[in-house]
Amino acid sequence: MSSLGTSRPMTGLPRWARLTATALLVVAVVSLPLNASPFVNLQLSIVLATAVALLGLDVLTGWTGQVSLGQSAFYGIGAYAVAVCTARGWPLLVGLAVTVLIAGLVGAIIAIPAVRLRGYALSMVTLALPVVAVPLAKRLDGLTGGSPGLATRTVSAPEWSGLDNDQWRFLVIALISAAVFLLVRNVLKGRHGRALATIRSSEVLATAMGIPVQRYKVGAFVVAAACGGVGGGLYVVAVQFISPETLIVTFSISLLAVLVIGGLRSTLGPLLGAAFYVLVPNVTGAVDAGQSYLLYGLCVLLVMFLLPGGLASAVHRVLAGAARVLPGSRPAVPDLPSQHPIPAPPLPEREVR
Amino acid sequence: MLLFYQVLDGLVSGSIYAALALAIVLAYRATGVINFAQGQMAVFSAYLAWSLTTIGLPVWLAIAGALLLSVVVGAFLERVVMRRFESAEPLVGIVVSIGLFISVNGLVSLIWGTSLTQFPAVFPAGSIELGDVGITYVALGTVVVLLLVIAALQLLFMRTRLGLGFRAVAVNPESSSLSGLPVGLLLMTGWGLAAALGALAGTLVAPALYLQPGMMDMVLIYALAAAVLGGLDSPFGAVVAAWLIGVVENLAGTFIPAIGNDLKIAVPLVLMCLVLFFRPQGLFGRVEVERV
């Protein structure tokens, strides 16, 4: 089914290699915060929070082909929901449940008009979300704290763990992110993923095949919104603060950009994209603080020039190479997704006047 | 009387949105990509014009010079950056234009700094009295300049061989190429013209806003909304939509107290959503026909 764009990085590897890699990853994630400074833990936590939001955007944009510029609004909904709930002393999981409910509901409401639209019209409608969300967040200052923002204590390390707060928060965020990634990945693995991929390549074809196109598109919107919300909630867990400036339009636009930079339709893509978004400005800032923004923009262009399939495509290529060499591999799959991008949706026929 | 002034104000800001929306539509018709960097390129051009005034050129000459330089910059960016991605997924084109947006923003900050810079007035101060209403020269000039631009574009597209070439390439690049049109050159010129229009928007808005790297960000949102609302491939639609957006926003902000100044941007966007709901192709766009 790889021709439909399911690109899981380790599919080609033998079983033992996959298990070892997964185990190594888990050990790395758990031991990472123990040796890192609070700043590094904070940065890594934000990477994971951003990755969850990107994962949702990938379902909508990468898988279903609906280009959305509104993800930062859902990120904001989640961030405020978690901030408000935890500020009232409710447990984090309640806050996240509220987030999923509200963000999912808003996503469903937005989806109803949006599923009628295609391409750029849809992008513009979704772009309206953060544009409206920022002044709204400032207006509802009883709830959101207005322009100055809202500070809260989300989770603290329990006594028995012997961990610092930043370490504990990173682990909590990593656990929740992993759960969301597994959930979404498994939903996309089967017929739902294939249905979305078919809708992306041609809605007419999908309808002809009996796929309930509208229902899937609304579903993709809801998943994107809920993941965006959880991502924002995790951001608040890490940063303990949220202000309206977090949801600005440029953040939405950046999310879309780093999703493509990370790589569409790949489990690794959102992670790599989030890492790019959070970490590259640190690097360019260190190189030259005055030119940080210029260097960041050039990095974006550079990645698109060298790896139009995103950073994940490079990793996929390496892993595909490894799969050929390692003992116990299945015979090489001829059409690896990284070398076989999904064909772009057919260009609209243009009327000749 | 308040109503009249508010409509006029709306038309003036609408004209500036229209200039940038026209730029977006032109670039879209040439290369099929919505150029998110269009506003940032306009900022770059406005700074260029400002630099030309600092070496002693009168402001009108400086703007003309900046427009010409912008044509070169736009053509250069199309050839060197955008060309590679025109056959890729549309999403890739969007992201490349976002990369351009960030890079040009960084470049502007690098060359001219991020502090506010005063741009010299383009139109004389004061106003022209017509009966008991006064229209400022700025308002009048902005609208008139836009009307001239529309007339010039109309002439260019409908009465010249170059315009015919543009239209041919927009409809079908492959056939145009087979009939011997220099497609690459036309694409570059399309982007060059778009950059010049953006430069016009930038220099028209600069005296009111002060020059700063982010000065076109909000204008870009309005212009994008206008371009999409107008139908994306219709220059006429973009202008009408931009005026509509300018006027509706101003009236709603003034006469509906609950909306006020901070939420008035929501009004044209909600209007856009409503229109698109009933006419997904925009006000003047063509219906897309999908071949299975």
Side-chain angles (χ1 to χ4, degrees):
Chain A
M1 271 303 126
S2 57
S3 63
L4 273 173
T6 32
S7 56
R8 294 188 300 282
M10 296 197 284
T11 327
L13 295 181
R15 190 179 162 76
W16 64 266
R18 264 184 290 169
L19 289 178
T20 322
T22 313
L24 278 177
L25 193 72
V26 170
V27 171
V29 167
V30 171
S31 59
L32 199 65
L34 306 177
N35 306 311
S37 69
F39 175 74
V40 169
N41 281 334
L42 179 66
Q43 295 282 301
L44 293 175
S45 302
I46 297 176
V47 168
L48 289 179
T50 314
V52 172
L54 285 178
L55 177 71
L57 190 61
D58 192 32
V59 172
L60 183 60
T61 299
W63 283 83
T64 324
Q66 315 291 308
V67 176
S68 164
L69 291 169
Q71 193 69 348
S72 77
F74 298 114
Y75 196 82
I77 289 176
Y80 273 112
V82 166
V84 169
C85 287
T86 51
R88 280 168 177 57
W90 300 351
L92 174 64
L93 282 179
V94 174
L96 285 175
V98 171
T99 297
V100 170
L101 272 181
I102 300 179
L105 193 68
V106 176
I109 293 171
I110 299 299
I112 293 165
V115 291
R116 280 177 57 101
L117 301 173
R118 300 246 184 106
Y120 290 117
L122 174 76
S123 318
M124 279 315 298
V125 169
T126 52
L127 182 68
L129 284 174
V131 171
V132 178
V134 173
L136 264 186
K138 289 182 184 166
R139 282 269 182 108
L140 302 170
D141 48 3
L143 197 62
T144 63
S147 298
L150 187 62
T152 173
R153 280 192 75 79
T154 47
V155 287
S156 312
E159 289 284 336
W160 53 262
S161 65
L163 292 172
D164 288 336
N165 278 338
D166 60 287
Q167 298 169 328
W168 180 254
R169 280 177 201 138
F170 173 80
L171 289 176
V172 168
I173 291 169
L175 188 69
I176 296 172
S177 310
V180 175
F181 263 83
L182 271 179
L183 188 70
V184 172
R185 197 196 83 125
N186 285 346
V187 168
L188 290 175
K189 211 161 80 168
R191 66 193 170 96
H192 297 305
R194 293 197 293 277
L196 294 179
T198 313
I199 292 172
R200 180 177 76 252
S201 65
S202 165
E203 283 184 27
V204 180
L205 175 66
T207 313
M209 287 167 72
I211 296 169
V213 173
Q214 306 288 353
R215 216 181 303 163
Y216 267 109
K217 279 164 93 175
V218 173
F221 258 97
V222 171
V223 170
C227 287
V230 172
L234 295 181
Y235 172 82
V236 164
V237 171
V239 180
Q240 315 270 317
F241 175 75
I242 177 72
S243 78
E245 294 313 312
T246 314
L247 4 162
I248 52 172
V249 178
T250 42
F251 179 46
S252 262
I253 297 177
S254 297
L255 282 178
L256 185 67
V258 292
L259 175 67
V260 177
I261 286 170
L264 297 169
R265 300 181 287 278
S266 150
T267 317
L268 268 179
L271 282 168
L272 294 173
F276 185 93
Y277 177 70
V278 178
L279 304 180
V280 170
N282 285 349
V283 176
T284 58
V287 172
D288 186 334
Q291 302 173 21
S292 152
Y293 213 53
L294 177 61
L295 290 174
Y296 181 61
L298 292 179
C299 285
V300 171
L301 290 177
L302 195 68
V303 172
M304 295 318 293
F305 265 99
L306 299 180
L307 296 166
L311 297 169
S313 67
V315 179
H316 289 175
R317 229 171 283 165
V318 170
L319 287 172
R324 247 172 269 134
V325 191
L326 289 174
S329 297
R330 279 176 272 168
V333 191
D335 53 347
L336 282 165
S338 57
Q339 293 152 6
H340 245 268
I342 266 277
L347 284 172
E349 283 288 303
R350 287 181 150 175
E351 257 171 53
V352 182
R353 283 184 293 190
Chain B
M1 200 43 61
L2 178 63
L3 182 70
F4 172 80
Y5 283 117
Q6 290 303 328
V7 170
L8 186 69
D9 269 358
L11 281 179
V12 173
S13 31
S15 298
I16 286 161
Y17 308 156
L20 194 62
L22 276 175
I24 290 167
V25 168
L26 274 191
Y28 176 78
R29 282 174 62 112
T31 55
V33 172
I34 278 203
N35 183 9
F36 279 88
Q38 202 78 60
Q40 210 55 55
M41 287 160 63
V43 175
F44 183 81
S45 308
Y47 269 103
L48 272 182
W50 177 80
S51 287
L52 289 177
T53 61
T54 55
I55 58 168
L57 285 183
V59 66
W60 278 100
L61 217 53
I63 290 178
L67 289 188
L68 284 180
L69 288 174
S70 305
V71 173
V72 178
V73 172
F76 173 81
L77 288 179
E78 195 282 326
R79 181 65 194 90
V80 175
V81 180
M82 230 48 220
R83 185 69 59 85
R84 262 185 80 132
F85 304 100
E86 273 152 20
S87 52
E89 267 186 271
L91 192 54
V92 173
I94 295 181
V95 173
V96 171
S97 82
I98 294 171
L100 271 181
F101 174 99
I102 302 173
S103 307
V104 176
N105 187 315
L107 192 66
V108 168
S109 317
L110 178 71
I111 301 178
W112 289 286
T114 50
S115 53
L116 299 177
T117 311
Q118 169 87 58
F119 193 85
V122 182
F123 301 104
S127 59
I128 182 170
E129 303 295 327
L130 295 170
D132 54 351
V133 293
I135 303 174
T136 60
Y137 287 119
V138 176
L140 194 66
T142 308
V143 176
V144 167
V145 164
L146 185 78
L147 289 174
L148 287 178
V149 165
I150 296 169
L153 281 181
Q154 182 72 16
L155 275 181
L156 173 72
F157 275 105
M158 294 301 170
R159 292 271 182 270
T160 64
R161 284 190 68 84
L162 181 66
L164 189 64
F166 278 137
R167 287 189 291 147
V169 171
V171 173
N172 191 333
E174 231 165 86
S175 300
S176 315
S177 172
L178 289 175
S179 4
L181 284 175
V183 174
L185 206 60
L186 284 170
L187 296 183
M188 284 167 71
T189 325
W191 262 58
L193 270 182
L197 278 170
L200 197 65
T203 44
L204 283 178
V205 82
L209 282 186
Y210 288 95
L211 285 175
Q212 47 158 322
M215 73 171 191
M216 293 298 272
D217 288 359
M218 281 326 255
V219 180
L220 177 72
I221 289 172
Y222 289 113
L224 283 171
V228 170
L229 183 58
L232 207 52
D233 55 3
S234 157
F236 174 68
V239 174
V240 173
W243 276 335
L244 192 70
I245 286 175
V247 171
V248 167
E249 177 203 40
N250 231 358
L251 292 183
T254 314
F255 292 108
I256 308 175
I259 290 174
N261 214 29
D262 56 336
L263 264 182
K264 69 177 186 179
I265 188 173
V267 177
L269 291 175
V270 170
L271 180 82
M272 178 190 73
C273 295
L274 280 177
V275 171
L276 290 177
F277 186 65
F278 292 106
R279 283 185 66 85
Q281 72 275 29
L283 288 174
F284 299 92
R286 283 173 299 187
V287 182
E288 290 183 349
V289 185
E290 189 177 350
R291 179 183 280 175
V292 182

